[in-house]
Amino acid sequence: MLTTNTYKEVRMQSLRLTEGLSDEDMLLQSMPDASPTKWHLAHTSWFFETFLLQPHLSAYQVFDDSYQYLFNSYYDSVGERHPRPERGLLSRPSLRQVLAYREHVDKAMQQLLKQKPDKKILDALTIGLHHEMQHQELMLTDIKHALASNPYGLPELTPEANNNTPTDSTFTHFKGGLIYIGTDSDHEFAYDCEQPRHQVFLHEFNLRNSLVSNQEWLAFIDDGGYQKPELWLSEGWALCQQEGWQAPLYWRQKDGNWQTMTLQGYRPVHPAEPVCHISYYEADAFARWLDYRLPTEFEWEHAARTQPLTGHFADSGIWHPRQPEQQPGLKQMHGDVWEWTQSAFAPYPGFQPPKGALGEYNGKFMINQMVLRGGSCATAHQQMRFSYRNFFHPHQRWQFSGLRLAR
Amino acid sequence: MLTTNTYKEVRMQSLRLTEGLSDEDMLLQSMPDASPTKWHLAHTSWFFETFLLQPHLSAYQVFDDSYQYLFNSYYDSVGERHPRPERGLLSRPSLRQVLAYREHVDKAMQQLLKQKPDKKILDALTIGLHHEMQHQELMLTDIKHALASNPYGLPELTPEANNNTPTDSTFTHFKGGLIYIGTDSDHEFAYDCEQPRHQVFLHEFNLRNSLVSNQEWLAFIDDGGYQKPELWLSEGWALCQQEGWQAPLYWRQKDGNWQTMTLQGYRPVHPAEPVCHISYYEADAFARWLDYRLPTEFEWEHAARTQPLTGHFADSGIWHPRQPEQQPGLKQMHGDVWEWTQSAFAPYPGFQPPKGALGEYNGKFMINQMVLRGGSCATAHQQMRFSYRNFFHPHQRWQFSGLRLAR
Amino acid sequence: MLTTNTYKEVRMQSLRLTEGLSDEDMLLQSMPDASPTKWHLAHTSWFFETFLLQPHLSAYQVFDDSYQYLFNSYYDSVGERHPRPERGLLSRPSLRQVLAYREHVDKAMQQLLKQKPDKKILDALTIGLHHEMQHQELMLTDIKHALASNPYGLPELTPEANNNTPTDSTFTHFKGGLIYIGTDSDHEFAYDCEQPRHQVFLHEFNLRNSLVSNQEWLAFIDDGGYQKPELWLSEGWALCQQEGWQAPLYWRQKDGNWQTMTLQGYRPVHPAEPVCHISYYEADAFARWLDYRLPTEFEWEHAARTQPLTGHFADSGIWHPRQPEQQPGLKQMHGDVWEWTQSAFAPYPGFQPPKGALGEYNGKFMINQMVLRGGSCATAHQQMRFSYRNFFHPHQRWQFSGLRLAR
Amino acid sequence: MLTTNTYKEVRMQSLRLTEGLSDEDMLLQSMPDASPTKWHLAHTSWFFETFLLQPHLSAYQVFDDSYQYLFNSYYDSVGERHPRPERGLLSRPSLRQVLAYREHVDKAMQQLLKQKPDKKILDALTIGLHHEMQHQELMLTDIKHALASNPYGLPELTPEANNNTPTDSTFTHFKGGLIYIGTDSDHEFAYDCEQPRHQVFLHEFNLRNSLVSNQEWLAFIDDGGYQKPELWLSEGWALCQQEGWQAPLYWRQKDGNWQTMTLQGYRPVHPAEPVCHISYYEADAFARWLDYRLPTEFEWEHAARTQPLTGHFADSGIWHPRQPEQQPGLKQMHGDVWEWTQSAFAPYPGFQPPKGALGEYNGKFMINQMVLRGGSCATAHQQMRFSYRNFFHPHQRWQFSGLRLAR
């Protein structure tokens, strides 16, 4: 469980992620789904101010009344909020003011944590830190999207030595049966949506040992995968045509070769790396192309529990998926890329969101979204659990999302 | 199983549904989701022509080459098609020509069925008839939507004697366990999406004996149900505000009283009748309001199998839900209104769509849609099975959709 | 001036235009700018009922109260109205009812006109008849647009003998000066927007003797006219790209040859005919391509008054522009196609709309529209005057609109 | 005429306007019509680089090749350009780089101007400086719009002493006749659209001595001006309802009183000041409310030439219109607010845009825009001429636009 001594570390990590970004970069909002870096820095502080300092630190002075309105994300029960698509127009407060806000909140938090916090406070603290780690990932994905919209100033990187090992296409067999899914919050922190732990019946299944790689994706492209309606879900095909999808997000062709954009700049697509920045629709079409399918989130969780929870996470500072190690069995179950599952984000049997504003955390998004599992190269290691459920709409591509096959 | 002697009966029923409609009425298309009556009449004939007559009746003369393009609904593998939102512009071919098309197809079908049809043909025939019954329901829901868009010519009906029995709010308990779901196609016809029959583990649950009634919905309205964001899924709340929802579709206030539109005209909302024409978002918000939830499709199917498959279907000619009988236990599990479940429309383990165009029937819609169960007062009785899965988007309201609570 | 004995004739002409159209055709509305034939038939009757019968015929019985709402076009002062884009959903009242409405109005009108109508009534009658003739033209342009949206049932016509005389590219010179523009309503009927007659100073100018022909337009296409931004107004270029314009509306390529749709069907583009169905943007770009310009409406009117007011009008029953006669001097100033001018539709000095609802006839449209002059092959001859001003938005193409060059 | 010694002064003024703005403020783009301050700073430099330095300074080194693409506004003949609505995403190049770009261009320009520039160069220089002054006005109007979108950080100002003199509602009479309009470029610089000087025939008219004031506008509001369709042009009324207009842009009600936003903050609406930030539709409706009309641009120019060209311009540093002096006759013809005229922006007889890219300056916008005359409190004094024609779409409100009545 995250405790008081991790507060400082998590908060500092958010600032570390902004290295190399200017005040202007941190104001960018390139689509309503994404938010400016500065907004993330402010909103995560607002979270501590709203759910910890205001209710629990008696002499706490609110930094600025307006921030309540400006930096609320979606908590209807907390009050009105600034419209999401206009977060990029918040030149004021300035970045400097937002950083002062962070310091103000951090000082007050240290005061609060000195006062022998009770379980209620510790629980809110834990959520606040997990919440901040979630936003750290969004800071990376959102600034990547924003920088991609402006061709200027992204260098072309020297290609790395191309270690093009063929993708391991073997599968691991699982015999299924009645298994347990979800977490038991007595032992570790978990969001409401991972609870309660409950039984699920699984049929026998096979899970691919490796993630789908760029070399496989290139074959899909070459075989006309983006031109064959029979491979696609109906809504996916309509979107594919409307948006003119020809490759994953951030890929571009230059002199006949595919390049991909990373947070460091453009470089050639590396065949052995896992494919990344694909929508559910693309993942699903790819699986159908090979007569496989995506796993359910239950199959995935069941399989993941056979492995240690290790992997390539954001802590490495390399925010791009890496090619797998040469090893038998399941590889890269955690880290590198989020794995789309065929499970819609739905409540577990007996699901109960907490009362109050924090009850708005997950439950109200349980429609039209698909579960992704395993974390990515932009996720904090500390944030991961076997039961962790991420969720996005099937058309969204700007997360570090890839896939693993099942059958 | 549907056999050759039901062909005539099913086809005639489609025409019976058009009684009282003019040529002009049958051309109306009031939104892209809906189609003109005339288009349904033609498309269902196109289905038999395309999947039965052309491949299996040697001397068959296609009625009109252009119909292949005009009356294909969504079968990509069959070729190009007329854009869906423009079906209401098809004044040509005329209704008379479409009726001649139906006769032409019917004659040829009788010829085909005389020739000792093999299993392949019989299977396609069965699908064709079920397909036609599905479109019969759409004929009713679509013309209802179209007529509602034009205030002219819908009479106000004399209110019936108001037998306002309080809604039965008792529940039936089910103890759950490992159960079977889906159909075994050896015994009866079923769509691919109902297959394969497979085991699911159910937790203990309770299911309300009655459908949610209009009197309960009026209480929800009176309690501000349409104004409280905390009851709603996030996307549902956004839509509710954007569309200004205040009541189910087809309700209107007149002199302080709620009226609802039926296919016969406007009449007062009857408190004891099941609520109808609500979106998933509304159903879900209503359940949350009472601290209940919607059932899963598996809970529903498990419970439904304890009852005879009877109910108030389209065959009655009364295309409006009726108040329940006074009886203990589960009521109106079939007929009257489709019941929203909390299950996303997803493939069953081992799901395999058939090869060819008919494989486009269900699988390609398995995203962003929720399962509804039980059939409605606009569904043909013959079409229903315990395993039948209907599916619509959570925002759609023009089907005869209601809800039953679970916990 | 139109008098009582023309009433019958004008009203019959509206019905004559519907020959060959089915009930279903007459319900089509293919875009919000256009209206169903049936709606035109009803609206023109509503005009007489509202502005003549109700105020002036004492015992007049309104045919149906709802029609007031359903068939008002845009007269705010008359009350609420049915939303324009939903006119195509008015299957009820039926065509038969609308025809009965016409008869009802016609009978009452005959009664009114027998009663020695005073000037006020005669003035309103004259407007009503001109209004009906305007709608006759719209009936033709609107049904053409609707039928074009449905590929079914439009035959390919045998090409006529191709008399491909080169276009007469000579100009007539006018020396300008202080001239009179507009009409004097003492001598003939004219809309408010043609008044008052007033002086305008014209600079010396030259006007092309012939309309721009299809053979010239084909040269424009061949020279990349639709691909060169430098020829276009900025908004026109944006629209051209967005809509993918490559040729006038209703042109299509078949086996490498251009065809155009007429109300009778598709036939080859005839090089010697005037080009038709072009937007202001296209007309303006074409003129710039040849280093000419469009005339102002004052230049046009000044020149037109040197010619007899004759030409090819709707009365011919041939609703397609014809190639010009071999004659020197200005040709086809009236009839065949409306000629775009470079004049925005604006009030004349001293313009005064009449009080009351008929004041909404022209004045409230004096923004963002350009004046067209001369009438077309779809205009009634009787409707034309030298001072007649038609007006449409620069992007609109479904009228019979062409151009004549000036410099 | 602007000469070499004004170059430095004009360029410095652009920077002076950015005082008090942060790097983040200067990146804001709150609508596609507006551009970020930084973009204006870069684009005006790009103009000198493209039209003066590259063609005329032999050893000139382009500052950065990418700027050609990033900072082209709309010159199609110069090449591709960054999409207008995404100018707010250009965090890179940074503001610092853009300022370095300005210095780089300024140094090179000084070099060029030392070399005895010929007429061609001087002409381009003059255009470049006028172009920069135009963008100075846009810098003010665009940042005002951007700051208005963010409630944070705009102070409420202490109301000034309220000198509420009644508006002077007298008119000056002009007898009309054949007059000259436009400029003769031999005597002073003028844009192509002000040429050639030519004769226009004016009818007798009266022009109000004063601008319409806020006190008159408040009376319009109180009389339901925003609720009466009969006052409005048809498209204006539709927009008024759609956008929910109740008052000029930047007005808000606080505790029952109207406030307006200035570039310094919010303050009470001052009754004696000219009304500002209104659309053409509002100006036109207001005039109709009082049974007046807007003047034509020719009437305006004719009247303006009777007055000295003085007024309250941007040079004052007070970017808000001021109440008029107490004096008889025409007041505030120049400065304070742009005055909507009823003239569409159209070519003068014999209009010829220059060849090449600068020919794209005005001519390609001559559609759907209305002429405004007289300059505003955000216009440079030096930029004004009697013949100056500004133009905007009738729906636009973010310029300093007001009105003067005529009859």
Side-chain angles (χ1 to χ4, degrees), chain B residues 207-227:
Chain B
L207 195 65
R208 245 266 298 259
N209 286 320
S210 67
L211 294 166
V212 168
S213 68
N214 284 332
Q215 79 186 239
E216 291 175 289
W217 205 267
L218 287 162
F220 176 69
I221 293 174
D222 288 348
D223 192 47
Y226 281 98
Q227 283 82 46

Side-chain angles (χ1 to χ4, degrees), chain C residues 269-281:
Chain C
V269 165
H270 192 309
E273 285 174 0
V275 69
C276 194
H277 294 301
I278 53 165
S279 63
Y280 178 85
Y281 295 123

Side-chain angles (χ1 to χ4, degrees), chain C residues 301-401:
Chain C
E301 182 172 331
H302 181 58
R305 286 181 187 276
T306 66
Q307 303 288 319
L309 203 164
T310 54
H312 168 216
F313 291 106
D315 317 68
S316 75
I318 301 161
W319 303 311
H320 194 71
R322 292 197 294 206
Q323 68 178 105
E325 308 281 323
Q326 300 297 317
Q327 59 170 72
L330 291 169
K331 278 180 278 289
Q332 298 181 300
M333 286 296 282
H334 277 95
D336 289 299
V337 295
W338 287 100
E339 304 179 27
W340 284 110
T341 74
Q342 65 164 244
S343 301
F345 185 48
Y348 284 170
F351 168 70
Q352 277 297 348
K355 296 292 169 201
L358 290 177
E360 299 185 46
Y361 208 94
N362 287 302
K364 75 181 190 182
F365 302 112
M366 289 179 172
I367 193 73
N368 290 340
Q369 311 220 37
M370 303 305 282
V371 173
L372 299 104
R373 292 293 200 119
S376 81
C377 56
T379 313
H381 191 173
Q382 210 175 359
Q383 187 187 347
M384 280 294 96
R385 291 172 296 283
F386 290 114
S387 60
Y388 195 95
R389 309 169 80 195
N390 200 355
F391 49 91
F392 281 94
H393 287 95
H395 68 272
Q396 290 174 316
R397 310 169 93 200
W398 94 112
Q399 294 299 304
F400 288 85
S401 49

Side-chain angles (χ1 to χ4, degrees), chain C residues 73-143:
Chain C
S73 53
Y74 56 68
Y75 299 87
D76 284 308
S77 49
V78 173
E80 293 290 304
R81 57 187 184 272
H82 189 71
R84 180 168 189 143
E86 295 183 17
R87 290 176 183 167
L89 298 179
L90 296 175
S91 64
R92 301 169 184 193
S94 68
L95 178 65
R96 201 177 323 165
Q97 286 173 293
V98 164
L99 295 178
Y101 179 39
R102 286 185 74 86
E103 278 188 44
H104 175 87
V105 164
D106 286 349
K107 270 185 201 148
M109 280 299 296
Q110 280 154 22
Q111 219 178 320
L112 177 68
L113 297 179
K114 272 185 208 140
Q115 299 169 3
K116 291 213 184 181
D118 60 16
K119 183 172 181 320
K120 204 166 163 185
I121 293 178
L122 284 179
D123 284 354
L125 171 67
T126 306
I127 290 194
L129 292 175
H130 278 278
H131 172 263
E132 180 127 4
M133 288 189 287
Q134 288 182 314
H135 279 276
Q136 285 167 4
E137 178 152 6
L138 293 174
M139 282 168 67
L140 292 172
T141 58
D142 294 0
I143 194 70

